[in-house]
């Protein structure tokens, strides 16, 4: 890369001046510039940092600072820049020799300037600082990416847990005969309770017919042997056996 002559020095051998490169683009955040040969030759301080910045592709050769350099005036002389209008670079922050911050701005008067872009030199490497809206957009996009990834991971794990539970239910050993499965009992109770809530109440029992005499409690408490003896001589049912007069004749 051909470098321009230092400030105050004309063109060598009296040749024509080199053609000025095109102005840099607006978005150049994806590149950086570093000239290790220049860093090994000159110190990086506030007096020479602008000459180093002028070597980078971020530098606009149509700026007012370049006009001051051609007149052998320091390009960051504010007393001279305030009298001009157009594009200029200002050195905002300095932490020698590690950090230098340049601001590109448009000057419309001695006290009226409009900031445009910001550049910084960090340990000899020159970068364009991203705009605030781009920083917010990148942070929001990154946050949405990680949130979406977290939901996807959680969903996959929940599906896996449900699949394992269904397999365990299918492989569940059936209880042996004679044992009570409390889980099944609770399930049946829930079904019966839901049916009871849905069905209408049961009608009242019908009245006892005339002549019906309920059996005494002492007979209900008799053992099976006594009940077998009674079967041999069944007692007359008051409902069925109502006398020979009312029996059907075959």
């Amino acid at each position: 890369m051909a470098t321009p002559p230092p400030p105050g020095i004309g063109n060598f051998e009296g040749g024509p001046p080199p053609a000025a490169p095109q102005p840099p683009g607006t978005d150049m955040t994806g590149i950086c510039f570093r000239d290790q040969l220049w860093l090994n030759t000159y110190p990086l301080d506030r007096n020479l940092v602008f000459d180093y910045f002028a070597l980078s592709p971020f530098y606009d050769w149509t700026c007012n600072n370049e006009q001051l350099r051609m007149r052998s005036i320091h390009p960051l002389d504010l007393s001279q820049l305030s009298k001009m209008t157009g594009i200029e670079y200002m050195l905002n922050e300095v932490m020698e020799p590690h950090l230098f911050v340049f601001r590109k701005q448009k000057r419309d008067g001695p006290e009226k300037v409009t900031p445009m872009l910001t550049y910084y030199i960090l340990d000899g490497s020159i970068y364009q600082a991203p705009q605030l809206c781009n920083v917010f957009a990148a942070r929001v996009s990154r946050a949405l990416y990680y949130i979406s990834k977290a939901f996807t991971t959680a969903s996959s794990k929940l599906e896996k847990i449900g699949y394992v539970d269904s397999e365990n239910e299918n492989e569940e050993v059936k209880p042996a005969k004679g044992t009570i499965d409390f889980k099944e009992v609770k399930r049946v109770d829930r079904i019966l309770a839901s049916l009871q809530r849905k069905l209408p109440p049961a009608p009242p029992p019908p009245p006892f017919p005339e002549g019906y005499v309920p059996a005494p409690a002492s007979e209900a408490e008799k053992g099976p042997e006594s009940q077998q003896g009674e079967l041999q001589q069944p007692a007359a049912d008051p409902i069925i056996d109502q006398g020979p007069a009312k029996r059907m004749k075959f």
Side-chain angles (χ1 to χ4, degrees):
M1 177 184 298
T3 59
I9 300 178
N11 298 323
F12 296 100
E13 299 180 357
Q22 296 295 328
T26 303
D27 187 6
M28 302 178 68
T29 55
I31 64 173
C32 69
F33 175 82
R34 183 182 182 88
D35 191 340
Q36 191 62 41
L37 180 61
W38 193 97
L39 295 173
N40 295 336
T41 307
Y42 304 99
L44 193 61
D45 54 15
R46 66 178 64 237
N47 295 321
L48 298 177
V49 66
F50 191 86
D51 297 332
Y52 179 60
F53 178 75
L55 302 177
S56 69
F58 307 108
Y59 184 64
D60 189 351
W61 288 79
T62 63
C63 64
N64 298 335
N65 309 85
E66 183 62 24
Q67 297 182 22
L68 296 181
R69 295 179 70 193
M70 294 174 62
R71 292 156 51 186
S72 301
I73 303 176
H74 196 279
L76 298 176
D77 190 350
L78 185 58
S79 62
Q80 298 293 329
L81 290 174
S82 60
K83 300 177 183 179
M84 308 171 70
T85 57
I87 304 299
E88 65 181 20
Y89 293 92
M90 293 295 298
L91 185 61
N92 283 356
E93 297 183 13
V94 177
M95 294 179 59
E96 293 181 346
H98 301 290
L99 178 64
F100 302 87
V101 180
F102 281 96
R103 184 177 66 184
K104 183 179 182 180
Q105 58 189 14
K106 182 180 180 182
R107 181 176 292 277
D108 297 323
E111 301 294 336
K112 186 178 181 181
V113 293
T114 304
M116 298 175 62
L117 295 171
T118 303
Y119 306 90
Y120 61 95
I121 303 175
L122 181 62
D123 293 332
S125 298
I126 307 177
Y127 306 89
Q128 177 182 339
Q131 297 184 3
L132 190 59
C133 60
N134 295 335
V135 174
F136 286 158
R139 295 294 177 87
V140 171
S141 178
R142 180 176 296 181
L144 290 177
Y145 167 76
Y146 284 112
I147 291 174
S148 176
K149 185 178 180 180
F151 274 110
T152 303
T153 304
S155 176
S156 62
K157 289 185 178 181
L158 289 176
E159 290 178 358
K160 185 176 181 181
I161 291 173
Y163 178 73
V164 172
D165 290 344
S166 62
E167 285 186 349
N168 294 338
E169 290 179 0
N170 295 334
E171 296 176 0
E172 193 176 34
V173 180
K174 296 182 179 180
K177 294 182 179 180
T179 61
I180 299 176
D181 188 359
F182 292 99
K183 184 177 180 181
E184 188 68 20
V185 172
K186 291 181 180 180
R187 190 175 69 86
V188 173
D189 291 343
R190 287 196 298 270
I191 294 175
L192 294 177
S194 63
L195 291 176
Q196 185 177 5
R197 289 192 298 268
K198 295 178 180 179
L199 295 176
F208 291 108
E210 296 180 1
Y212 175 75
V213 178
S218 59
E219 294 182 1
E221 295 176 358
K222 291 181 180 180
E225 296 179 356
S226 60
Q227 292 180 1
Q228 290 179 1
E230 292 177 355
L231 291 175
Q232 297 176 0
Q233 299 178 357
D237 194 336
I239 299 177
I240 299 176
D241 193 3
Q242 297 181 0
K246 295 184 179 181
R247 291 181 181 175
M248 296 181 64
K249 296 180 180 181
F250 299 97

